[in-house]
Amino acid sequence: MTKKETKRKNKNTKKDLVLEKIKNFFNDPKPIIILLIAIICFLLIFISKLNTRSTIYVGEINESEIQVPNIHYFTNNDMNYFYASNALFAGKFANKEVYSYQLGYFVVDGNGNYIEFASRSKEADTSAKLSDIVDELSGWSFAESNVNTYFFTRDVIDNLNNLHFIIKASTKKDSDEADINLDYKVDITKITK
């Protein structure tokens, strides 16, 4: 036998040996079962993480001073959405004339810090009745992509279960200090698990 024939024979035997091992691997069900179990476990973990990222909340504010009958919001991997109907405000400060205001929704974190979620504010030269401002400007409806967030920041999403409607207003012209501070907790029910 020549050197070429010997090399060819060694290559064939190595090739045959590899093919034989592959054949034995696929003929034995144990490695395939273990591989399938690993794939199934990975998919179950992946799917359960996707399900926990979707949350749906519904809520309302139903107090003697203020009613907001419909508040709902949801978050998921794709988009986030918030809706709140206009508030009906008839509190003791309803007829007060104010020059500046800030009203909207805030979340409260575990340390008691208020994080702005969706609010409106304005300073004016002429006064307006607080009930008119609240009735007109307290409604919200917006959606945003989960990628480019403005309203639904990570801090907001982590604390959405503790939502408050805040009204701050000043009855003094050209004042930065709010002399009316009202805080209403939204009664929330989480729909998703």
Side-chain angles (χ1 to χ4, degrees), residues 61 66 68 71 84 87 89 103-106 118 134 137-140 163-167 182-186:
I61 300 172
I66 189 168
V68 183
I71 300 169
F89 183 62
L103 63 93
Y105 292 90
F106 291 74
V134 173
L137 300 175
S138 58
W140 292 90
L163 187 67
H164 290 248
F165 182 70
I166 306 289
I167 301 171
L182 304 172
D183 183 348
Y184 303 101
K185 185 166 180 10
V186 178

Side-chain angles (χ1 to χ4, degrees), residues 93 98-103 121-123 130 166-182:
F93 297 109
V98 297
Y99 288 94
S100 63
Y101 63 86
Q102 180 182 19
L103 63 93
S121 61
K122 184 176 179 180
E123 291 182 25
L130 185 58
I166 306 289
I167 301 171
K168 294 180 182 182
S170 176
T171 57
K172 299 171 190 156
K173 190 173 184 177
D174 299 325
S175 173
D176 293 340
E177 295 284 325
D179 53 347
I180 298 172
N181 290 298
L182 304 172

Side-chain angles (χ1 to χ4, degrees), residues 61-88:
I61 300 172
N62 191 10
E63 296 191 17
S64 60
E65 293 184 355
I66 189 168
Q67 282 86 35
V68 183
N70 193 2
I71 300 169
H72 56 268
Y73 46 99
F74 68 85
T75 63
N76 63 27
N77 309 6
D78 190 33
M79 70 170 282
N80 304 312
Y81 177 75
F82 177 76
Y83 173 83
S85 58
N86 286 27
L88 177 60

Side-chain angles (χ1 to χ4, degrees), residues 6 14 36 40 57 64 77 105 110 124 144 169 175 177 181 192:
T6 307
K14 285 182 184 178
L36 289 175
I40 290 170
Y57 293 94
S64 60
N77 309 6
Y105 292 90
E144 69 181 7
S175 173
E177 295 284 325
N181 290 298
T192 53

Side-chain angles (χ1 to χ4, degrees), residues 10-27:
N10 285 343
K11 280 187 182 178
N12 285 343
T13 56
K14 285 182 184 178
K15 189 177 181 182
D16 290 340
L17 189 62
V18 169
L19 290 174
E20 186 66 30
K21 288 192 179 207
I22 292 172
K23 179 180 156 189
N24 289 340
F25 177 80
F26 283 110
N27 283 335

Side-chain angles (χ1 to χ4, degrees), residues 6 9 18 26 33 59 85 100 120 132 139 151 153 155 160 177-178 183 190 192:
T6 307
K9 187 174 181 185
V18 169
F26 283 110
I33 291 172
S85 58
S100 63
R120 295 180 173 107
D132 293 342
F151 293 102
T153 62
D155 289 337
L160 273 175
E177 295 284 325
D183 183 348
K190 186 175 181 182
T192 53

Side-chain angles (χ1 to χ4, degrees), residues 35-49:
L35 181 65
L36 289 175
I37 289 172
I39 291 171
I40 290 170
C41 289
F42 172 77
L43 289 175
L44 285 174
I45 291 169
F46 179 74
I47 290 170
S48 70
K49 289 205 184 251

